[in-house]
Amino acid sequence: MTRTTNTPLVEMRDISISFGGIKAVDHVTVNLFAGEVVGLLGHNGAGKSTLIKCLSGAYRPDHGQVFIDGQKVTINNPRDARAQNIETIYQTLALADNLNAAANLFLGRELINSAGLLDEAQMEAETRKIMARLNPNFRKFNVPVSALSGGQRQSVAIARAVYFNAKILIMDEPTAALGPQETQMVAELIEELKKQGLGIFLIEHDIHNVMKLCDRASVMKNGQLVGTVDVDKVTDDEILGMIIMGKQSNQGV
Amino acid sequence: MTQDPFTDSNSSKKPQSKISPLTSFLRVTEIDTRLAGMAGALLLIWLGFHYYGLFVNGMGAFLTPRNLWNLSVQTSSIGIMATGMVLVIVTRNIDLSVGALVGVTAMMMGILQVEVLPQYLGLGHPAIWVITVIVGLIAGAIIGALHGWLIAYCRIPAFIVTLGGLLIWRGMAFISAGGKTISPVDQTFALLGGGPYGAIGAWGSWVVGLIACAGVLWMMQSGRAQRVKHDFPLRPMWAEVLLAAIGCGTIIGSVLLVNAYPLPKGIIKALAAANNTIVPPEGIFISHGFAIPVLILISVGVLMTILLTRTRFGRYVFAIGGNPEAASLAGINTRWMTLKIFSLMGMLAGLAGAVASARLNSATNALGLLDELYVIAAAVIGGTSLAGGVGTIYGAILGALVMQSLQTGMVLIGFDTAIQQIVVGIVLVLAVYLDNLYRSKSK
């Protein structure tokens, strides 16, 4: 872990959000430093995705603040989040199935030419460039993404997050739908992005991936934060204990 | 995405053994198979009616300049609205109120130009038609925006909002004139509906045709230049030439067609009298040329195609149709988009109201009755998927032409209304079934 400064890249402080009386996220504080991968763990319904959607602009928290580089920011919608260089890879991938890879990659941020019209050729050329880096076998540039395999769709979603120079990357179970080879590809990508100084929030169920990829892990249960641990200093059993029992580990806090 | 201009670079490298010559021809020329299929179906319908008339009734009246010219005029109002309906259906909504909107906007325009404006400007003032059309478009846009607001911001399903709108605006059309028919409309306004005077003549048609040909050639040239710039695969030169020839050939063919339809003798006599000349005994041949409502339809079609395929607005329409959640996560304001789409639909209904009332030379409260069904049918026959996310403007216009061809054709060969309805209903269901087959095969 390379913590160069003491100011976290992101700090989500005391975040709460409830839906119809149910507290989905209950006074949770997490932070993330540049060049670090923080795993967000917990059962289904523990509030991980909801918490992260407060950062990506999909939800507005009822309570709490978000700080980026120590500055308080207001994120009301996905556009605000993107303006802060926060990119998200959703579990559902959030791709428009009827559009091709380039159209999805640039969705909401289309390149336009001098006449104000979409510059399709330029967008396709840029898509070819980034895909050549991420997934050199990718060839299907002119078909709707519904015609792509799970791994290919995933690489389109990742390309979308990486292309726009993200500082903060949120990955919601990026390897859930992937085969072993593609999972390895994502793992290598995470390592590479980390070296470039990005901060990554990784929602992950597979404890082996957590131990391999994450620097720290924040565990949630029933909307509350159980605790945050340094992954190097705990065993996978201890993390599993936190997830299942909701008890704070003694080590590595 | 059928409007995508590039082929998969991969497809040309696949083994060619299983591919029929037709498929590989279509692949190399990048002709949209759906477009080719629809054009073929239209041609079959036309030939069918013509030869049915020829053999059964002893007279083939369909493939005549006169009938095809009238067909083009009759298609205009439905075609204009069908282009907007594509956007509505692509975003997984529906608009049942467009027929009633035609009625109410036409009635407003009728009252304005017949009873209100002449009082202030004098009868026949040249500004009357301009003010009338602008007011009609704005009224349509406002009503559409109201529908869109109820749908997007009050979360009432589009089906309900526009079903209510169908009843409300039809009622409004009746009340606003007390059930009267407003007639005759302003003389210049009436030109929007076509008719012998509402056409641009032989020379005008040639100018329009040549501009259109130049447009086709320019589009193909700039498309090729873009591909060269980015090293994308190019179509072979013979395919480019063939496509240009088909495009320009169709345009020039339609110019020849509309110019082959002469003005009726009575009109020529009136024109001659106005110019102080005498009609020689063998008559004078003066061409109709393109009708003004057809030019309006073509302009709307071109503008809507640019809007849908070449702008951010159009891209967001497809994105919302494909995955509304993804669209909103990408920062697209889906509610505001819905409001704008319904407003645009309302404005097009206003334009269609202008064309339809101008054609009848009157505004009646029954104007546009059942149009919503023909408009939806035209969009759906043209390949717009009710599941959302898929549709083209040219398809909808062709769909409108198919619907109108069926109706006109059956009138010409003497089928009565009941049979017409049965046939149109069967064709609608069959067209969607065939479209489903096509889609599942092309996957």
Side-chain angles (χ1 to χ4, degrees):
Chain A
M1 206 183 347
T2 50
R3 273 188 220 177
T4 46
T5 59
N6 285 330
T7 316
L9 183 58
V10 184
E11 183 175 8
M12 300 182 75
R13 196 182 291 169
D14 207 20
I15 301 284
S16 294
I17 183 170
S18 50
F19 299 102
I22 295 164
K23 286 218 160 183
V25 176
D26 193 2
H27 297 286
V28 172
T29 299
V30 291
N31 57 21
L32 173 70
F33 289 83
E36 183 191 39
V37 180
V38 171
L40 281 175
L41 313 178
H43 282 301
N44 291 327
K48 316 176 295 279
S49 290
T50 310
L51 175 69
I52 230 62
K53 279 183 173 174
C54 295
L55 185 59
S56 69
Y59 294 148
R60 287 162 76 171
D62 302 331
H63 181 264
Q65 294 107 34
V66 177
F67 295 85
I68 292 185
D69 288 329
Q71 303 286 315
K72 186 174 184 299
V73 295
T74 315
I75 298 174
N76 287 329
N77 54 47
R79 257 180 216 283
D80 291 349
R82 286 176 164 192
Q84 298 290 343
N85 292 358
I86 301 170
E87 295 290 335
T88 311
I89 300 164
Y90 292 96
Q91 193 175 2
T92 56
L93 302 184
L95 298 174
D97 278 342
N98 55 336
L99 300 180
N100 63 21
N104 270 292
L105 196 142
F106 287 94
L107 192 59
R109 288 179 283 204
E110 289 77 6
L111 302 178
I112 52 175
N113 60 23
S114 50
L117 301 175
L118 295 177
D119 195 343
E120 302 267 10
Q122 185 68 36
M123 286 193 274
E124 183 176 337
E126 293 294 319
T127 307
R128 281 174 189 265
K129 262 188 238 162
I130 183 102
M131 293 310 279
R133 207 183 103 204
L134 292 178
N135 186 355
N137 297 323
F138 191 92
R139 291 282 181 279
K140 294 184 167 177
F141 290 98
N142 293 297
V143 295
V145 294
S146 59
L148 305 182
S149 72
Q152 289 169 330
R153 289 162 60 84
Q154 187 82 42
S155 51
V156 174
I158 292 174
R160 173 160 65 181
V162 175
Y163 177 81
F164 293 96
N165 299 321
K167 268 195 330 194
I168 300 146
L169 194 56
I170 301 166
M171 300 173 108
D172 194 348
E173 294 196 50
T175 59
L178 302 185
Q181 201 185 348
E182 287 155 331
T183 304
Q184 183 57 33
M185 193 188 85
V186 171
E188 283 165 14
L189 180 73
I190 289 175
E191 286 298 325
E192 190 199 320
L193 295 174
K194 215 170 103 170
K195 273 189 209 131
Q196 292 173 12
L198 274 77
I200 300 174
F201 273 124
L202 181 66
I203 296 180
E204 182 63 69
H205 276 300
D206 187 334
I207 195 73
H208 300 293
N209 283 340
V210 173
M211 300 305 284
K212 195 170 73 181
L213 297 171
C214 298
D215 300 306
R216 288 186 297 148
S218 293
V219 179
M220 290 180 71
K221 188 173 167 73
N222 299 333
Q224 291 173 325
L225 186 70
V226 177
T228 303
V229 292
D230 281 347
V231 169
D232 294 345
K233 297 177 185 162
V234 292
T235 63
D236 41 2
D237 283 343
E238 283 171 306
I239 291 182
L240 282 174
M242 287 170 73
I243 295 170
I244 297 163
M245 314 288 282
K247 266 192 247 159
Q248 170 74 49
S249 159
N250 295 326
Q251 284 88 33
V253 181
Chain B
M1 218 167 64
T2 46
Q3 71 275 17
D4 199 303
F6 306 115
T7 41
D8 190 349
S9 60
N10 212 19
S11 60
S12 55
K13 290 173 196 155
K14 278 178 190 162
Q16 300 277 324
S17 57
K18 276 185 195 165
I19 296 167
S20 73
L22 179 66
T23 320
S24 72
F25 170 78
L26 288 173
R27 192 164 283 167
V28 172
T29 52
E30 298 170 26
I31 291 175
D32 181 357
T33 45
R34 169 191 298 286
L35 176 65
M38 285 196 55
L42 194 61
L43 205 62
L44 275 182
I45 292 172
W46 288 6
L47 289 172
F49 279 124
H50 188 74
Y51 285 102
Y52 183 92
L54 195 61
F55 292 128
V56 178
N57 302 341
M59 188 188 69
F62 200 97
L63 292 176
T64 57
R66 176 198 169 119
N67 182 55
L68 294 177
W69 189 89
N70 280 320
L71 182 66
S72 71
V73 173
Q74 288 158 354
T75 305
S76 304
S77 137
I78 299 286
I80 289 168
M81 289 191 279
T83 62
M85 192 59 81
V86 172
L87 274 63
V88 171
I89 297 180
V90 164
T91 50
R92 306 186 180 188
N93 283 315
I94 197 78
D95 193 337
L96 299 174
S97 69
V98 293
L101 281 188
V102 165
V104 77
T105 53
M107 195 53 88
M108 287 170 69
M109 287 186 277
I111 293 171
L112 187 66
Q113 65 185 305
V114 174
E115 294 178 0
V116 181
L117 287 178
Q119 285 180 26
Y120 300 98
L121 299 171
L123 201 63
H125 191 281
I128 287 181
W129 79 274
V130 181
I131 298 172
T132 304
V133 171
I134 291 173
V135 168
L137 294 182
I138 292 174
I142 290 173
I143 296 173
L146 174 66
H147 290 170
W149 178 74
L150 289 169
I151 293 159
Y153 292 91
C154 304
R155 313 247 172 174
I156 311 172
F159 187 90
I160 299 301
V161 170
T162 58
L163 183 63
L166 182 157
L167 298 167
I168 292 166
W169 302 114
R170 183 63 67 196
M172 289 285 196
F174 188 91
I175 289 176
S176 54
K180 279 184 305 186
T181 293
I182 309 286
S183 182
V185 298
D186 179 73
Q187 277 191 354
T188 323
F189 182 85
L191 301 182
L192 297 176
Y197 296 108
I200 58 172
W203 282 109
S205 302
W206 277 115
V207 171
V208 168
L210 291 178
I211 291 173
C213 284
V216 167
L217 295 177
W218 178 81
M219 263 172 52
M220 297 194 63
Q221 201 279 329
S222 68
R224 195 172 171 90
Q226 280 288 321
R227 294 190 187 197
V228 170
K229 185 176 156 200
H230 293 287
D231 281 335
F232 296 158
L234 292 173
R235 274 193 286 248
M237 206 28 126
W238 65 263
E240 301 270 18
V241 172
L242 179 73
L243 287 176
I246 292 174
C248 294
T250 311
I251 293 166
I252 290 168
S254 49
V255 171
L256 290 172
L257 179 82
V258 293
N259 283 349
Y261 177 35
L263 294 179
K265 285 197 185 98
I267 300 283
I268 288 180
K269 242 181 230 167
L271 279 176
N275 291 323
N276 289 323
T277 49
I278 299 154
V279 184
E282 71 273 13
I284 306 177
F285 189 96
I286 303 178
S287 302
H288 271 85
F290 286 115
I292 289 173
V294 176
L295 295 177
I296 296 176
L297 170 62
I298 292 170
S299 315
V300 167
V302 169
L303 290 176
M304 292 291 285
T305 302
I306 293 172
L307 181 73
L308 193 58
T309 61
R310 301 299 309 277
T311 68
R312 284 188 169 156
F313 179 86
R315 176 58 48 82
Y316 297 165
V317 166
F318 281 113
I320 292 170
N323 187 344
E325 198 199 340
S328 112
L329 288 174
I332 298 167
N333 189 339
T334 53
R335 291 179 177 189
W336 179 231
M337 282 292 296
T338 302
L339 191 147
K340 285 194 281 189
I341 290 164
F342 273 88
S343 181
L344 180 60
M345 179 74 253
M347 194 168 83
L348 289 168
L351 183 60
V355 168
S357 60
R359 191 163 92 82
L360 288 181
N361 200 17
S362 64
T364 73
N365 59 59
L367 195 69
L369 202 65
L370 293 182
D371 269 9
E372 57 280 344
L373 300 183
Y374 291 111
V375 169
I376 293 168
V380 170
I381 287 179
T384 309
S385 162
L386 286 169
V390 181
T392 57
I393 299 294
Y394 67 76
I397 294 176
L398 272 176
L401 197 54
V402 168
M403 295 289 294
Q404 195 59 49
S405 298
L406 286 173
Q407 296 227 299
T408 310
M410 287 188 290
V411 170
L412 280 182
I413 61 177
F415 283 0
D416 61 24
T417 321
I419 306 276
Q420 289 176 30
Q421 289 177 344
I422 293 169
V423 172
V424 169
I426 291 172
V427 167
L428 175 62
V429 175
L430 194 67
V432 174
Y433 173 70
L434 290 176
D435 197 49
N436 283 349
L437 277 188
Y438 169 82
R439 274 185 222 285
S440 58
K441 271 199 179 170
S442 66
K443 265 181 192 170

